[in-house]
Amino acid sequence: MALARGRAGRALNEQKGRPMTMPYADGGGPLIPRPEFTLPALRQAVATVAPSRLPEFFEDLQKAFVRAGDEDSVVPIRMFYREWGVVVEIERHPETARRLHAAEQEISNPDPAVCDLAIREAGEIVRAAHREVAGG
C-alpha cells in the first residue's frame, strides 16, 4: 500500500515538473513526495518523516508569524517554509538523514580531522537540500 502511494505521489509531482530525487542517491528513494510549500503540506510531511520535531515546527511557525507581524513583512514566513522544506527534503531520504545525523554527532569529536570532515559532510548535505528546495 505504501509503495503504491509513493508511486502515485511521484507521478503527481512529475506532472508538476518537480524532480523527485536529490543529487545524493539513497538506495530506497524518498519516503514521501516533496511537499508543497503550504502549512498543511509541510505539517503533514514533518509528521510523517520527523514526528519528534513537530513541537519545534509549531514553535518556529509561531515565531515566524510574530516576527512577520513585528516587521510587517512576509519574509519571516517564507523563511519558515524554506527552512522546514529543507528539513523535510533531508528527512524524506533515510540514508541522507542518517548521514547528516551521524555527521552532527561527530562535530563535537575532539579529533580536529574528524570534526572537520563532519562539518564538511553536514554542509554538503544541507546545501544540496537547499538547492533541491530552490528548484534544483
Side-chain angles (χ1 to χ4, degrees):
M1 182 91 158
L3 182 60
R5 276 194 302 250
R7 286 184 183 148
R10 275 191 282 281
L12 287 175
N13 276 358
E14 287 167 2
Q15 290 172 359
K16 295 176 186 174
R18 292 180 152 188
M20 287 304 303
T21 59
M22 296 179 71
Y24 38 88
D26 275 318
L31 295 174
I32 62 170
R34 184 176 298 124
E36 295 291 323
F37 276 11
T38 65
L39 186 55
L42 279 176
R43 180 180 57 231
Q44 181 60 48
V46 172
T48 302
V49 299
S52 66
R53 296 193 67 183
L54 274 173
E56 179 186 359
F57 175 87
F58 287 116
E59 183 178 324
D60 287 356
L61 174 64
Q62 183 175 9
K63 288 177 184 175
F65 274 88
V66 167
R67 190 168 164 213
D70 290 346
E71 297 175 9
D72 195 26
S73 171
V74 297
V75 170
I77 296 166
R78 289 185 179 158
M79 289 172 49
F80 166 83
Y81 285 139
R82 177 74 175 258
E83 176 185 343
W84 281 94
V86 168
V87 169
V88 168
E89 186 63 25
I90 292 167
E91 294 293 334
R92 72 190 193 98
H93 295 272
E95 179 57 25
T96 301
R98 185 203 59 74
R99 286 177 33 228
L100 176 62
H101 299 309
E104 290 170 337
Q105 293 295 315
E106 291 298 324
I107 287 174
S108 60
N109 191 302
D111 181 343
V114 172
C115 181
D116 185 53
L117 184 63
I119 290 170
R120 280 185 282 159
E121 173 80 355
E124 288 172 11
I125 291 168
V126 171
R127 281 189 300 277
H130 272 279
R131 283 191 301 272
E132 286 299 310
V133 167

